[in-house]
Amino acid sequence: MNKPNTKRLFGDSFKHLSVLALSVSLAFNAWSDDHEEKSEEQSPYVEINKNPFPSTYKPADSGTVLITNVTLLDGVGGRMDNASVLIENGDIKQVGNSISASEATVIDGSGKWLTPGIIDNHSHLGVYPTPDVDSHADGNEMTKPVTAEVWAEHSVWPQDPGFSAALAGGVTALQILPGSANLVGGRAVTLKNVPNRTVQDMKFPSAPYGMKMACGENPKRVYGGKGGPMTRMGNVAGYRKEWIAAKEYKEKWDKYKAEYAEGKNPTAPGRDLKLETLMGVLNGEILVHMHCYRADEMAVMMDVMKEFDYQITSFHHAVEGYKIADLLAENNVCASMWADWWGFKMEAYDGILENIPMVANAGGCAIVHSDSDLGIQRLNQEAAKALSDGQKAGINFTKAQAWEWLSANPARSLGVFDQTGSIEPGKDADVVLWSGDPFSTYSHAEQVFIDGVKVYEKGNDTLWPVTDFELDQPGEGEL
């Protein structure tokens, strides 16, 4: 009797069984791994608090105010004669030639002009306060070329009498920036110009942060003997190095967020205050304000901007803005400028009187700024000089259009134009009543309103905000 050939009988079946067992095993292992991964409890989600120092500013009750019979410049190019403006609950309610409100406090503006409040997007009030002594010099962290981790608001001294003086010049909001010694100087903060006890009580609600950067001679001068940068090419290498690090940091956080959303349990990246600020720029949450004088340097910085996919909001000083006015407009970058201040160093040498109107005439976002505790008190006159010089050169902007350089455009550069910067229904009632044409050197701010509340009136001592520091000092309360 022949023995059955088991190999022949079961050989193929064994093969099939082995393959099946292997498949079952692999499937089980895969299920097991997947099940184990999904069943792992996630650690608490780690999120960076982007607003650890929120605004505590609360406007007083404005009531209902009706300002009548004024020459109105609305801040966005419009002019209306014999106009009236109705203010309710801090906002502009109505603009027109025939407005009545029986319960309103009426201010007769006959012979006077009404404009949006002036917004200075380049100020160091509070971080370089008056009196100007070394112990008050808190505006420039000159310890290394990149200090994106510092925040100007942590240096602002609300007792600076400069805030009150600026208010008398019609300034209702301002951006406080770190100085320009560093390639990246740190975060800037936007304030309502309402003198108060703390900087948080002045902080413009919901305004995005700014970040100060600087081109040219200042970083070279400060760090040339401290390990660099000592050249303009060193400056650019310094920016690029930091943006590379910021990109990598952002990618880590983006990966962490994506994996956590998938149900995994990733480890959050370690926090880095410097890179958090730079990442905020890359995310479009923080606005770049860059000190830069020369046209060629501004063009280079716009190339770096494109390389790392962020946006420069405004070049500050921009003495040679007129040379690249078309490039500024094409790249949606504002230029914040002086009317006639240049020549005090080599990179500021090639300025012209027509700079501001030429930038505006190219379709750009032209801004009149101060960078001065004195200049901020008469920015209306700076705009008047620029307007006049443009007209002499055949660039014929109207006064209504020129006021955009003082209110709407700086508001846009600070990311608050949806709230202020023009006299339009729904906007904050941040307005100035002038004694006459605000482009005249003989006119002055008579009354200043912030959120509809009268915060300054010429000659009214009860509204003049004397700071604690001024009390019993020589010149207390003087303008």
Side-chain angles (χ1 to χ4, degrees):
M1 184 175 176
N2 294 328
K3 288 178 67 177
N5 186 337
T6 54
K7 182 178 181 183
R8 193 167 61 194
L9 286 174
F10 300 107
D12 290 340
S13 297
F14 280 139
K15 288 180 183 176
H16 293 155
L17 287 171
S18 298
V19 170
L20 178 62
L22 179 62
S23 300
V24 170
S25 175
L26 290 174
F28 176 79
N29 289 338
W31 174 87
S32 177
D33 288 344
D34 186 53
H35 179 74
E36 185 175 306
E37 188 173 339
K38 289 189 175 176
S39 65
E40 183 181 353
E41 186 177 352
Q42 286 186 307
S43 300
Y45 183 65
V46 177
E47 188 168 24
I48 297 172
N49 180 1
K50 297 177 181 177
N51 189 23
F53 312 103
S55 168
T56 54
Y57 168 74
K58 292 180 181 176
D61 181 11
S62 73
T64 302
V65 179
L66 181 62
I67 304 174
T68 63
N69 302 316
V70 294
T71 299
L72 173 75
L73 304 181
D74 64 11
V76 286
R79 169 174 171 159
M80 184 184 296
D81 295 324
N82 196 32
S84 297
V85 175
L86 180 64
I87 298 169
E88 282 186 5
N89 300 319
D91 294 334
I92 295 167
K93 182 73 173 179
Q94 192 176 355
V95 180
N97 291 113
S98 180
I99 301 174
S100 60
S102 57
E103 303 298 324
T105 300
V106 178
I107 299 173
D108 183 6
S110 297
K112 307 180 192 305
W113 291 47
L114 190 75
T115 69
I118 294 172
I119 299 172
D120 187 4
N121 75 349
H122 194 123
S123 175
H124 300 297
L125 291 180
V127 297
Y128 286 115
T130 301
D132 184 11
V133 295
D134 288 346
S135 59
H136 279 167
D138 292 314
N140 225 331
E141 183 63 27
M142 292 185 288
T143 52
K144 51 188 175 181
V146 176
T147 56
E149 67 272 22
V150 304
W151 299 29
E153 66 190 87
H154 297 143
S155 281
V156 170
W157 190 44
Q159 298 295 317
D160 185 354
F163 290 117
S164 304
L167 193 59
V171 174
T172 54
L174 64 169
Q175 177 176 235
I176 309 301
L177 294 146
S180 55
N182 298 353
L183 300 177
V184 180
R187 292 201 193 197
V189 64
T190 299
L191 306 178
K192 290 264 189 179
N193 193 16
V194 181
N196 220 312
R197 297 174 304 167
T198 70
V199 68
Q200 260 57 23
D201 286 344
M202 302 172 68
K203 206 167 174 180
F204 200 117
S206 73
Y209 280 106
M211 188 183 82
K212 178 71 175 292
M213 297 180 68
C215 287
E217 293 181 21
N218 287 12
K220 275 164 29 99
R221 184 185 69 248
V222 173
Y223 294 103
K226 300 181 189 176
M230 66 179 300
T231 62
R232 284 183 163 84
M233 59 185 174
N235 285 352
V236 174
Y239 310 128
R240 298 180 74 209
K241 178 182 173 184
E242 295 298 329
W243 287 124
I244 289 170
K247 282 272 188 184
E248 292 174 352
Y249 188 66
K250 173 176 160 43
E251 288 169 2
K252 289 179 183 176
W253 275 100
D254 289 346
K255 181 182 178 186
Y256 167 75
K257 293 174 184 175
E259 291 183 348
Y260 199 94
E262 292 170 358
K264 298 178 183 177
N265 189 28
T267 301
R271 291 192 61 184
D272 185 313
L273 286 177
K274 180 181 74 173
L275 294 177
E276 281 180 17
T277 295
L278 295 171
M279 181 172 68
V281 172
L282 295 176
N283 287 334
E285 299 162 347
I286 296 176
L287 309 178
V288 173
H289 293 265
M290 188 154 200
H291 159 117
C292 223
Y293 289 81
R294 282 184 5 191
D296 60 310
E297 285 195 280
M298 288 188 272
V300 169
M301 290 316 306
M302 286 190 282
D303 287 341
V304 175
M305 172 183 87
K306 293 171 186 172
E307 180 185 9
F308 292 98
D309 193 23
Y310 65 94
Q311 179 67 38
I312 297 172
T313 299
S314 184
F315 286 116
H316 288 235
H317 314 331
V319 163
E320 296 184 6
Y322 65 95
K323 295 182 180 178
I324 54 165
D326 56 335
L327 296 180
L328 294 170
E330 287 172 15
N331 287 283
N332 196 30
V333 179
C334 295
S336 305
M337 299 164 280
W338 297 296
D340 55 3
W341 193 11
W342 69 76
F344 45 87
K345 55 182 175 177
M346 283 306 301
E347 64 183 358
Y349 190 75
D350 206 9
I352 62 172
L353 294 170
E354 300 83 3
N355 193 25
I356 293 172
M358 285 184 69
V359 169
N361 199 45
C365 167
I367 294 169
V368 177
H369 73 345
S370 77
D371 190 19
S372 164
D373 57 343
L374 300 178
I376 196 172
Q377 300 174 32
R378 54 188 72 88
L379 281 170
N380 59 313
Q381 295 180 22
E382 292 297 301
K385 287 187 285 186
L387 175 65
S388 174
D389 288 322
Q391 290 173 341
K392 290 174 186 173
I395 306 172
N396 293 311
F397 285 105
T398 66
K399 292 176 180 176
Q401 292 168 325
W403 200 266
E404 197 168 0
W405 307 338
L406 291 168
S407 61
N409 284 349
R412 292 183 177 110
S413 79
L414 301 179
V416 295
F417 183 60
D418 60 330
Q419 299 177 69
T420 190
S422 64
I423 299 179
E424 298 175 283
K427 291 285 189 75
D428 294 352
D430 301 338
V431 300
V432 181
L433 186 65
W434 300 86
S435 60
D437 179 353
F439 290 88
S440 166
T441 55
Y442 296 102
S443 297
H444 50 256
E446 279 196 346
Q447 299 183 41
V448 179
F449 298 80
I450 296 180
D451 288 305
V453 178
K454 189 190 297 184
V455 290
Y456 169 78
E457 183 173 27
K458 187 173 177 59
N460 184 348
D461 292 341
T462 63
L463 281 180
W464 180 241
V466 177
T467 69
D468 291 350
F469 180 77
E470 290 179 278
L471 294 175
D472 296 328
Q473 299 281 351
E476 173 189 322
E478 291 183 359
L479 282 174

